[in-house]
Amino acid sequence: MDPLKSVLNVAASGMRAQGERLKVVSENVANASSTGNTEGGDPYRRKVISFEEMVDRETGASMVGVSDVTRDDADFELRFDPAHPAADQDGFVKVSNVKTILELANMREASRSYQANLNMFETGRTMRTQLLDLLK
């Protein structure tokens, strides 16, 4: 068992997981102002990502992975716009349940976590190189 390989695998799994999180956040932000297309139709529903612990069988290291991407069941906001094609009989249009400020906070957290994993990966790689230099 190579402990430095475990460090690299753990860091890489963290970067993959946070990369997936950034994809979900960017999709949410891109659709934040969407509405339905038909009368009373539902707009884009926010997606939520969940992580799970995985164990690397080769090294025994605990890693992170994406367990599921689900839809947020929070209620849609209603906006009064009787001229909109998706307006209901009362003139209200359903607006996506994406909260842009929450998505920006998620994006910042994912970005920082990705950077921390990248730093751990680089440190492990440097340590491995130094170990090989010592063995020469």
Side-chain angles (χ1 to χ4, degrees):
M1 178 170 92
D2 181 5
L4 293 178
K5 184 177 180 182
S6 295
V7 169
L8 297 177
N9 288 342
V10 169
S13 75
M15 288 188 292
R16 277 190 298 275
Q18 294 305 327
E20 289 298 316
R21 183 178 181 191
L22 283 170
K23 287 179 190 176
V24 169
V25 167
S26 64
E27 185 177 332
N28 287 342
V29 170
N31 291 293
S33 62
S34 71
T35 61
N37 295 327
T38 60
E39 182 179 336
D42 287 345
Y44 175 83
R45 190 171 285 280
R46 177 179 181 258
K47 291 184 179 178
V48 180
I49 191 166
S50 300
F51 299 117
E52 67 181 345
E53 179 184 12
M54 303 181 323
V55 177
D56 184 5
R57 292 180 184 172
E58 185 180 325
T59 62
S62 292
M63 300 188 306
V64 65
V66 175
S67 66
D68 201 11
V69 177
T70 58
R71 303 232 182 241
D72 185 355
D73 290 332
D75 292 335
F76 296 118
E77 290 186 32
L78 296 176
R79 183 177 68 211
F80 185 72
D81 187 0
H84 194 282
D88 62 11
Q89 299 90 345
D90 299 324
F92 288 98
V93 177
K94 293 179 188 175
V95 180
S96 177
N97 62 349
V98 174
K99 306 285 187 244
T100 307
I101 194 76
L102 175 64
E103 297 304 324
L104 292 176
N106 279 334
M107 181 179 66
R108 177 168 241 153
E109 184 181 343
S111 176
R112 287 186 175 175
S113 183
Y114 186 93
Q115 185 65 42
N117 281 294
L118 182 61
N119 289 340
M120 187 172 74
F121 188 88
E122 290 296 326
T123 301
R125 196 170 70 166
T126 301
M127 290 172 66
R128 183 173 234 173
T129 302
Q130 290 173 346
L131 178 63
L132 290 174
D133 288 343
L134 285 172
L135 294 174
K136 287 183 185 179

